[in-house]
């Protein structure tokens, strides 16, 4: 497909477990973003990659959250020792470069029991 | 501290009439504004944007107005169609970074 894809679409885990969320950006897009959307709120910025490097990770809430993009394409958001408050929809977006329109994937709904 | 606010959580409009969605911001460093539309179980879809050097941008049935002095923008949809029923998010970007700051969203319902 031509759009941003995210897997899994749903993830249910238990408190304290480790989870990985995957994002496949639009082919050729150099910029990739992660956002988190809690119920009834707008998306909140987590981290932004330009190529392989994290250009801005100021939105990561704490050191349990980490993201990588080793080859400048697919990105993985990793959450250690999950807490119930981590339950949200995690959205990934990509753009052609700095300042270009961000296109969003369908999100991964994470539920921490 | 919410830097982007959408004070109306929901709006109901009759088909064919105008829908006006409002958004306020507090950060004077924001210089680019966007509207996204979101259907259930889908990601936000880009709708229209406006740079701070303009006060109006139009694309078909959608027009965005920006009032910098009031730190206010609005999205007008004319005429409204049932397929426009969705949650609309206002977003802003500053010149110092590439991240978007979103409002809380407004659920638009267009009745046939």
């Amino acid at each position: 497909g031509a759009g941003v894809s995210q897997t899994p679409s749903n993830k249910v885990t238990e408190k304290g477990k480790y989870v990985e969320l995957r994002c496949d950006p639009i082919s050729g897009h150099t910029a990739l973003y992660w956002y988190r959307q809690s119920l009834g709120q707008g998306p909140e910025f987590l981290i932004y990659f330009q190529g392989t490097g994290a250009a801005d990770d100021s939105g990561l809430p704490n050191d349990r959250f980490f993201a990588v993009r080793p080859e400048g394409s697919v990105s993985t958001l990793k959450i250690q020792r999950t807490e119930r408050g981590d339950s949200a929809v995690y959205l990934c977006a990509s753009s052609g470069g700095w300042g270009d329109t961000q296109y969003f994937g369908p999100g991964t709904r994470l539920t921490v029991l | 501290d919410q830097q982007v606010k959408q004070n109306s959580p929901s709006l109901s409009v009759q088909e064919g009439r105008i829908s006006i969605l409002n958004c306020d911001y507090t950060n004077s460093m924001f210089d680019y504004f966007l509207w996204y539309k979101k259907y259930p179980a889908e990601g936000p879809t880009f709708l229209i944007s406006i740079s701070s050097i303009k006060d109006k941008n139009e694309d078909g049935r959608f027009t965005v107005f920006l009032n910098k002095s009031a730190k206010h923008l609005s999205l007008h949809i004319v005429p409204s169609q049932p397929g426009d029923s969705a949650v609309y998010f206002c977003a802003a970007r500053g010149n110092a970074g590439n991240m978007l700051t979103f409002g809380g969203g407004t659920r638009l319902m267009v009745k046939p």
Side-chain angles (χ1 to χ4, degrees):
Chain A
V4 177
S5 62
Q6 294 186 243
T7 54
S9 55
N10 280 283
K11 176 71 177 178
V12 180
T13 190
E14 294 179 343
K15 179 176 178 295
K17 299 290 188 182
Y18 168 83
V19 296
E20 289 189 352
L21 312 178
R22 176 187 168 107
C23 172
D24 280 85
I26 292 172
S27 178
H29 277 191
T30 59
L32 184 146
Y33 315 78
W34 284 99
Y35 292 82
R36 176 169 73 172
Q37 184 177 12
S38 300
L39 194 63
Q41 299 180 20
E44 292 180 301
F45 170 77
L46 295 177
I47 186 169
Y48 153 54
F49 287 90
Q50 183 60 48
T52 60
D56 183 349
D57 65 357
S58 61
L60 294 178
N62 51 59
D63 61 6
R64 295 187 298 106
F65 289 74
F66 189 71
V68 295
R69 195 185 185 199
E71 298 178 356
S73 178
V74 170
S75 176
T76 305
L77 178 65
K78 308 180 181 193
I79 310 174
Q80 299 178 325
R81 304 183 305 279
T82 52
E83 300 177 357
R84 294 194 179 88
D86 299 335
S87 296
V89 175
Y90 289 80
L91 294 163
C92 176
S94 70
S95 71
W98 197 100
D100 289 346
T101 299
Q102 296 180 28
Y103 296 93
F104 283 81
T108 294
R109 180 176 296 278
L110 175 67
T111 302
V112 182
L113 301 177
Chain B
D1 178 30
Q2 268 191 297
Q3 299 186 65
V4 179
K5 288 185 181 179
Q6 294 175 254
N7 291 318
S8 298
S10 65
L11 174 67
S12 183
V13 170
Q14 205 66 33
E15 180 179 6
R17 306 296 288 267
I18 184 171
S19 296
I20 300 177
L21 296 96
N22 294 301
C23 177
D24 297 290
Y25 63 96
T26 57
N27 190 338
S28 57
M29 298 303 291
F30 289 145
D31 65 354
Y32 195 75
F33 304 89
L34 309 90
W35 285 92
Y36 282 82
K37 178 170 74 171
K38 187 179 184 304
Y39 293 118
E42 295 183 12
T45 303
F46 170 72
L47 203 53
I48 193 169
S49 62
I50 187 167
S51 165
S52 60
I53 62 173
K54 294 185 175 182
D55 56 14
K56 177 183 175 181
N57 188 26
E58 192 172 351
D59 183 1
R61 296 186 298 114
F62 303 91
T63 303
V64 56
F65 295 92
L66 175 62
N67 183 333
K68 281 186 63 178
S69 61
K71 293 190 174 66
H72 177 84
L73 63 155
S74 60
L75 174 68
H76 293 211
I77 307 174
V78 182
S80 301
Q81 300 173 355
D84 296 330
S85 298
V87 177
Y88 288 77
F89 290 100
C90 167
R93 191 185 72 207
N95 55 13
N98 208 21
M99 67 180 191
L100 296 178
T101 301
F102 283 85
T106 296
R107 181 177 301 278
L108 174 65
M109 293 164 283
V110 181
K111 299 179 179 178

